[in-house]
């Protein structure tokens, strides 16, 4: 097998059914140098243990996934969500400190969908802005960047009212770029006719906190959440989007995040190796330097 791109990071969602120990082991064994972790496997072993395991693995830490889900109106559920986001910020800071040199303290935020019985997308987005205002001081103190991730519009009602990179940048605009940035995920934004302009804007504003790649192929499965594919296996112009991100000066890790039942059923080491191979063919040629 050829050398693995040093900028590749495996988002743990790609090997969802692997516990933390397995995820760290197979990522390193496959020659990948970086990993993005998910909160649930970290919490299964406890934050201190997870940080020690990450340190022992020798891997960089690229992102912590995920928090957010704060579009509900004021009340106990919203307070609980804000409190949980504060915990997630501390987790991201601890894990980034435990990772190998070059680790990034980035917490990915998925805003949440419409509250039950609501049709008010504009109001829900404003509550996202309000939540960022509550979280930003703690994130700044902890040295964590909150990365707003826009999701494809098909998720607008049930998962994320932020559908475009432009909307995410508008929400981030009130905050220092080191505290609130954006996640650029090819699966969610490739369709947007303004995507290249939005990537350029994100670069000018210094807000690209993470770049995530996977592919889109139709027909989508019945559960559209699981329609993500290995890089190069679908129709997304990964070359064009990657060039656009590189042109902004982004030099960080590039995560592959795949939600796909067939990928999840693949032995984790094989899934990581297939991810690395697809990345090498469809993304690496358009990257430059770290």
């Amino acid at each position: 097998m050829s050398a693995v791109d040093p900028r590749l990071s495996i988002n743990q969602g790609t090997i969802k059914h692997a516990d933390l120990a397995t995820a760290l082991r197979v990522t390193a064994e496959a020659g990948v140098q970086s990993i993005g972790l998910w909160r649930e496997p970290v919490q299964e072993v406890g934050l201190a243990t997870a940080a020690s395991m990450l340190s022992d693995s020798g891997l960089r830490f690229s992102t912590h996934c995920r928090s957010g889900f704060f579009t509900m109106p004021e009340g106990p559920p919203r307070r609980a969500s804000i409190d949980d986001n504060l915990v997630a910020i501390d987790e991201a800071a601890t894990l980034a400190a435990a990772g190998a040199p070059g680790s990034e303290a980035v917490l990915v935020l998925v805003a949440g969908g419409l509250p039950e019985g609501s049709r008010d997308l504009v109001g829900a987005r404003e509550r996202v802005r309000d939540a960022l205002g509550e979280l930003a001081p703690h994130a700044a103190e902890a040295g964590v960047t909150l990365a707003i991730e826009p999701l494809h519009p098909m998720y607008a009602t049930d998962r994320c009212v932020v559908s475009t990179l432009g909307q995410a940048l508008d929400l981030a605009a009130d905050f220092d770029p080191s505290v609130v940035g954006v996640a650029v995920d090819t699966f969610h934004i490739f369709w947007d006719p303004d995507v290249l302009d939005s990537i350029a804007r994100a670069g000018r504003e210094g807000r690209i906190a993470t770049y995530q790649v996977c592919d889109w192929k139709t027909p989508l499965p019945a559960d559209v959440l699981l329609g993500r594919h290995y890089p190069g296996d679908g129709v997304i112009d990964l070359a064009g989007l990657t060039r656009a991100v590189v042109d902004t000066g982004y030099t960080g890790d590039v995560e592959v995040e795949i939600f796909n039942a067939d990928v999840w059923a693949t032995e984790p080491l094989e899934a990581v190796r297939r991810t690395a191979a697809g990345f090498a063919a469809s993304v690496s040629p358009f990257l430059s330097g770290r």
Side-chain angles (χ1 to χ4, degrees):
M1 182 177 175
S2 59
V4 175
D5 193 309
R7 293 181 66 180
L8 169 62
S9 179
I10 296 296
N11 183 287
Q12 195 174 359
T14 300
I15 45 175
K16 178 181 175 66
H17 299 314
D19 60 19
L20 180 59
T22 302
L24 294 169
R25 176 181 58 79
V26 300
T27 298
E29 187 175 338
V32 178
Q33 298 180 19
S34 183
I35 192 167
L37 297 182
W38 274 65
R39 297 188 68 199
E40 293 83 357
V42 166
Q43 291 173 349
E44 283 177 5
V45 300
L47 180 59
T49 298
S52 178
M53 293 167 65
L54 175 62
S55 180
D56 291 344
S57 76
L59 296 171
R60 290 192 303 274
F61 175 75
S62 54
T63 66
H64 198 36
C65 291
R66 60 191 168 29
S67 202
F69 298 97
F70 34 44
T71 51
M72 66 284 283
E74 187 54 59
R78 183 174 175 85
R79 287 301 100 203
S81 175
I82 295 296
D83 289 345
D84 185 55
N85 276 268
L86 294 171
V87 171
I89 290 170
D90 292 336
E91 292 171 353
T94 297
L95 292 166
S103 294
E104 299 287 349
V106 173
L107 175 63
V108 176
L109 299 181
V110 175
L114 280 175
E116 186 175 356
S118 174
R119 294 179 172 83
D120 183 11
L121 281 168
V122 173
R125 292 188 188 113
E126 285 305 309
R127 288 191 290 276
V128 174
R129 190 188 307 275
D130 293 342
L132 291 169
E134 290 194 62
L135 298 174
H138 188 64
E141 183 179 1
V144 171
T145 301
L146 306 174
I148 307 167
E149 182 172 16
L151 266 58
H152 191 283
M154 64 184 170
Y155 305 115
T157 58
D158 67 339
R159 191 164 294 270
C160 186
V161 297
V162 181
S163 300
T164 69
L165 193 54
Q167 288 174 341
L169 290 166
D170 289 345
L171 288 168
D174 293 339
F175 307 95
D176 188 282
S178 66
V179 179
V180 181
V182 296
V184 177
D185 185 320
T186 59
F187 180 84
H188 292 304
I189 65 171
F190 82 97
W191 60 273
D192 183 354
D194 297 323
V195 65
L196 296 180
D197 288 341
S198 293
I199 289 173
R201 174 188 168 191
R204 288 194 304 272
E205 297 178 2
R207 295 197 187 271
I208 300 180
T210 182
Y211 179 41
Q212 297 179 330
V213 300
C214 73
D215 225 325
W216 173 293
K217 183 164 61 174
T218 50
L220 293 171
D223 184 348
V224 292
L225 189 65
L226 306 185
R228 302 165 73 106
H229 292 266
Y230 291 113
D233 281 3
V235 300
I236 295 178
D237 179 14
L238 295 175
L241 292 173
T242 300
R243 286 194 191 101
V245 171
V246 168
D247 285 348
T248 70
Y250 179 79
T251 57
D253 288 332
V254 181
E255 284 190 5
V256 176
E257 182 184 52
I258 302 171
F259 303 156
N260 182 299
D262 291 337
V263 174
W264 289 346
T266 302
E267 193 276 323
L269 178 57
E270 174 61 20
V272 173
R273 285 174 170 161
R274 289 181 62 182
T275 297
F279 188 92
S282 62
V283 179
S284 294
F286 312 103
L287 291 173
S288 61
R290 174 173 164 74

